Amino acid sequence: MVKKVKEIFEKEADAVRRYHEILYQDTVTKMYNRRYFNIKLQEYLSSEAKNAQGALILVSLNDFERLKGKLGYQKSEAFIKEIASCITTAIDNQKEYVSAKLSDTDFAILAPATSQRSFELLCEEINAMVKSLTKNYDLNEKEHFINIGYAKYFAKSDSKELFSKADFALTSSKAKGAFSINSFVEQTGDSQLVLGKEAWTQELKNAMEQKRFKLAYQNVVSINALTSEFHSELFLRLEDYNGHLHNAGYFMPMVMELKLGAQLDHYVIQRIIEILGEKHFTCKAVCINLGKDIFMQSNDWAWLEDSVESFKKLSIEGLYFEMPSSLDMPIEILIKFSKYLRSFGYGFGIDNFAINSESLAAIQQINPDYIKIQASYMIDLFGDNGLDAPNRSLGIITDSMEIKIIATNVENGAQKEKLEKMGIKYIQGSFIAEPKIIG
């Protein structure tokens, strides 16, 4: 990056970061606030990835007034800050987990995961850390304690209903007494597969062999000409042995736990090459989502060169590989991958972009072709009219690096109009069309 562009980037990135912190950060604990937590919850519930399944965990400290009577205001605030620290420390190694302070004494965690035991272990760890904290403050743990309640969520869950379930679990926990943990017991629907790990492994491998993993697509289009395509993003659907069709958020957590992510990515690449070769589907450019396993399992990228050559033979005008910004993998790999794609004349994009220090630093190094940001997040952050200084700063950053901004999950005309005022040029979402099966 030339010196002038670097200076522009750093100045404007700092302005965006500071605004983001003012809007979404709790001033006492420096955790995220309820406003940001709700945005991330909606993002996860509408996700096509493993984030679409997990748990909403609520942590509540009892009787704040009694605590202030015992410790005084300043020490009580310090105690709250240390509870927040216990929570952030417990999820420190989980990049996709989100924690927030909801009120003076209430906290929440969004925990994408697969197993009941993983939720239990996290709750037990937080409990143990706060118990130790009460001893450090010389508090009676029967009088000063936390309660934890959680509810599982699945793709397309209703956020209000989910909070109600977690609140119910928290209320039940409080009825049990100090440092209790309680979960909301969910009834399994008829269309859900109830399988153990071995059975899941067999089902997922069979689905690949029998081509029961179906590809769907959704277009990214110009905001001024909705029939003008930028690219067609591919999504996965699983047709299970009962004939039910499931979104990726349903099966991807198990795919990742069973370490089948790389195998499934290879399946998607080969399947779209087959479909395009058979002329069952045509598009201007195709976008393929990748996880980290395809890179981490081997240093051999021969698969990529072979795949790119196959796409070139099909005369595909554009090919993009896309990865989420929250992916926990070395930045050096993403830089190398992005450069490698450009050497073939193709591109790289970042999905679910969050406007924070880590993500801004990443695009400075990777310089992707585009970033995708949730429409509701952009509108909330930059205001309905999009004329706020932080929006201009983000525009300056992306324009200086020739990075396109794509607003995703656009659901209605009102959102489109607001995004248009903000200067957004590309959009994606149900307002244009729902994903369509192609084979």
Side-chain angles (χ1 to χ4, degrees):
M1 191 183 294
V2 297
K3 184 178 179 182
K4 183 65 176 175
V5 174
K6 188 172 185 287
E7 288 175 354
I8 292 171
F9 180 95
E10 290 176 351
K11 177 187 174 185
E12 302 302 335
D14 185 59
V16 173
R17 276 193 293 261
R18 281 188 280 110
Y19 183 75
H20 195 273
E21 289 174 1
I22 291 168
L23 197 62
Y24 295 130
Q25 200 174 75
D26 176 67
T27 55
V28 175
T29 62
K30 305 305 179 185
M31 295 177 85
Y32 286 122
N33 58 21
R34 182 187 286 271
R35 183 173 182 171
Y36 185 78
F37 189 83
N38 286 337
I39 290 170
K40 294 301 287 185
L41 176 59
Q42 292 295 342
E43 176 189 314
Y44 281 19
L45 294 180
S46 62
S47 174
E48 286 278 347
K50 64 178 182 178
N51 291 347
Q53 193 174 131
L56 168 62
I57 302 171
L58 301 180
V59 181
S60 181
L61 174 68
N62 81 307
D63 205 340
F64 191 41
E65 292 304 316
R66 180 187 285 186
L67 181 72
K68 287 189 285 187
K70 175 72 174 177
L71 297 179
Y73 180 77
Q74 285 190 331
K75 287 191 73 175
S76 295
E77 287 285 281
F79 185 76
I80 293 291
K81 287 174 70 174
E82 291 203 54
I83 290 179
S85 181
C86 290
I87 293 170
T88 54
T89 299
I91 65 171
D92 189 51
N93 293 326
Q94 303 291 342
K95 193 173 181 181
E96 293 174 327
Y97 283 29
V98 180
S99 62
K101 184 168 179 273
L102 304 183
S103 66
D104 285 342
T105 57
D106 295 314
F107 304 85
I109 304 165
L110 200 52
T114 56
S115 68
Q116 177 83 14
R117 187 59 185 148
S118 65
F119 307 139
E120 291 171 354
L121 288 172
L122 174 59
C123 294
E124 288 167 6
E125 182 180 0
I126 293 169
N127 244 357
M129 293 171 77
V130 176
K131 272 188 180 182
S132 177
L133 183 64
T134 58
K135 290 178 182 177
N136 293 342
Y137 275 76
D138 197 27
L139 295 170
N140 184 338
E141 64 179 49
K142 291 182 180 180
E143 296 179 353
H144 305 282
F145 53 85
I146 61 170
N147 289 100
I148 302 177
Y150 67 90
K152 292 183 182 179
Y153 69 83
F154 303 93
K156 312 302 179 186
S157 294
D158 179 79
S159 59
K160 290 182 180 178
E161 184 180 343
L162 176 60
F163 258 107
S164 295
K165 291 174 180 178
D167 273 329
F168 182 85
L170 181 61
T171 301
S172 300
S173 171
K174 290 178 178 179
K176 291 180 180 179
F179 292 102
S180 294
I181 301 169
N182 196 66
S183 65
F184 183 88
V185 179
E186 192 78 53
Q187 297 297 316
T188 303
D190 292 338
S191 65
Q192 290 184 311
L193 295 178
V194 183
L195 303 174
K197 279 190 178 182
E198 287 186 16
W200 257 114
T201 302
Q202 196 59 50
E203 167 61 11
L204 294 170
K205 288 182 176 180
N206 286 345
M208 283 186 263
E209 290 172 7
Q210 299 163 9
K211 296 182 181 178
R212 286 192 286 108
F213 274 114
K214 307 297 183 181
L215 295 185
Y217 79 97
Q218 188 180 52
N219 288 333
V220 170
V221 300
S222 168
I223 199 167
N224 295 318
L226 301 184
T227 57
S228 177
E229 300 171 14
F230 171 65
H231 72 215
S232 299
E233 181 179 357
L234 300 180
F235 299 104
L236 265 181
R237 302 288 183 262
L238 170 64
E239 184 183 299
D240 67 30
Y241 55 74
N242 293 319
H244 296 122
L245 206 61
H246 302 276
N247 287 3
Y250 175 74
F251 56 82
M252 280 307 295
M254 189 56 68
V255 168
M256 302 311 295
E257 181 166 322
L258 297 172
K259 302 192 185 309
L260 294 173
Q263 189 175 340
L264 192 56
D265 282 347
H266 285 303
Y267 170 90
V268 171
I269 293 168
Q270 291 308 311
R271 187 74 187 110
I272 189 59
I273 289 171
E274 288 176 14
I275 290 171
L276 290 169
E278 295 164 354
K279 307 295 184 183
H280 291 163
F281 171 68
T282 57
C283 63
K284 179 180 178 181
V286 68
C287 168
I288 300 172
N289 290 280
L290 295 177
K292 70 176 181 179
D293 288 356
I294 202 166
F295 301 99
M296 306 302 283
Q297 287 185 358
S298 172
N299 292 323
D300 182 11
W301 287 10
W303 63 268
L304 178 59
E305 190 168 348
D306 292 342
S307 300
V308 168
E309 288 302 322
S310 296
F311 281 110
K312 281 188 177 293
K313 289 176 184 176
L314 294 169
S315 301
I316 292 294
E317 184 178 330
L319 172 65
Y320 296 92
F321 286 97
E322 186 176 297
M323 302 179 81
S325 66
S326 60
L327 210 59
D328 187 15
M329 63 186 294
I331 189 73
E332 293 78 13
I333 292 178
L334 297 178
I335 295 169
K336 178 183 174 183
F337 181 53
S338 181
K339 288 179 179 178
Y340 196 58
L341 283 173
R342 286 198 185 94
S343 71
F344 291 101
Y346 293 140
F348 178 72
I350 297 177
D351 192 17
N352 292 325
F353 189 80
I355 304 167
N356 54 36
S357 298
E358 190 175 3
S359 296
L360 289 168
I363 64 168
Q364 185 178 20
Q365 296 179 73
I366 300 168
N367 196 5
D369 292 270
Y370 63 83
I371 55 176
K372 289 185 175 180
I373 308 177
Q374 292 264 329
S376 58
Y377 176 36
M378 290 197 71
I379 292 168
D380 185 78
L381 177 60
F382 296 132
D384 288 355
N385 56 20
L387 299 178
D388 295 311
N391 181 43
R392 291 197 297 272
S393 293
L394 182 62
I396 291 169
I397 290 168
T398 52
D399 288 347
S400 68
M401 299 178 70
E402 298 183 346
I403 299 172
K404 296 178 177 65
I405 298 177
I406 299 170
T408 61
N409 289 80
V410 180
E411 297 175 348
N412 52 58
Q415 286 184 325
K416 174 187 174 291
E417 289 178 12
K418 290 173 183 178
L419 292 165
E420 204 163 4
K421 288 179 182 178
M422 293 166 63
I424 299 302
K425 294 182 174 60
Y426 298 95
I427 57 174
Q428 180 181 15
S430 59
F431 174 68
I432 314 302
E434 296 286 354
K436 298 176 183 176
I437 298 290
I438 57 177

